[in-house]
Amino acid sequence: MSSGQRAMADQNEDIYNRSLALASDADRVSMEHYLVSARIEPKDPMTQFNLGNSMLAQRKFDEAAKYYHNALQDVIDSPEPKNDSDRIERESKIALYYFNLGNVYGILNQPAKAVENFQKSVETLDTPIAETNWGIALAAMGKRD
């Protein structure tokens, strides 16, 4: 990893650690509410996504990945949008869910899975942060080109 990539990774880790420090009992209460919501409406992608975020904040990375997968699958399985606004919203969600999966797999030191998810995120909706993380994951696999 180059010194620039290392600096970026360190900065991301610092931001993540500061975010964890801000986590409170309210975050755990929110997670409990999301779990109840998921029992009532198990195919709601936003609930699944929020559960993934809650698990991530609690450093339960395997569980976070599970909920992000659920959210992604729920959106993919949903009916095709009927207008451009709904299509854009759907694509944004898909890109975000792939992006979060890539981040979790990066944390879990599974760079091949991180690369796969960042690539799908960029292919769905090209964003600079997804491209950057995709490049970092590729570098972690030794693909520095």
Side-chain angles (χ1 to χ4, degrees):
M1 184 179 289
S2 74
S3 62
Q5 290 169 327
R6 172 81 326 228
M8 184 177 299
D10 289 345
Q11 180 182 16
N12 287 344
E13 181 69 17
D14 181 54
I15 291 167
Y16 178 75
N17 286 330
R18 282 188 280 143
S19 297
L20 279 178
L22 296 174
S24 65
D25 290 336
D27 295 319
R28 289 172 224 355
V29 170
S30 294
M31 184 197 64
E32 291 171 12
H33 288 275
Y34 294 138
L35 287 168
V36 169
S37 178
R39 280 188 221 116
I40 294 167
E41 187 59 54
K43 291 292 186 183
D44 177 51
M46 191 54 74
T47 298
Q48 297 293 320
F49 178 72
N50 287 332
L51 277 166
N53 290 339
S54 293
M55 296 301 168
L56 182 65
Q58 294 177 54
R59 296 178 140 326
K60 297 178 180 180
F61 304 121
D62 289 322
E63 291 180 55
K66 177 184 93 169
Y67 287 113
Y68 290 144
H69 273 290
N70 291 348
L72 180 62
Q73 197 59 54
D74 291 345
V75 171
I76 289 171
D77 290 345
S78 67
E80 286 294 319
K82 295 184 176 161
N83 59 54
D84 286 343
S85 176
D86 290 343
R87 181 187 54 75
I88 291 167
E89 181 181 348
R90 182 176 192 259
E91 288 176 2
S92 296
K93 286 180 181 178
I94 289 171
L96 177 62
Y97 299 166
Y98 277 127
F99 177 79
N100 279 29
L101 275 167
N103 286 330
V104 169
Y105 286 126
I107 291 167
L108 290 170
N109 197 27
Q110 297 179 24
K113 286 185 177 182
V115 164
E116 176 185 341
N117 283 282
F118 288 132
Q119 180 178 357
K120 288 178 180 178
S121 178
V122 168
E123 289 170 353
T124 305
L125 182 66
D126 193 3
T127 62
I129 188 70
E131 282 192 26
T132 298
N133 287 13
W134 184 13
I136 291 169
L138 284 166
M141 292 177 62
K143 297 180 179 183
R144 302 189 188 279
D145 294 349

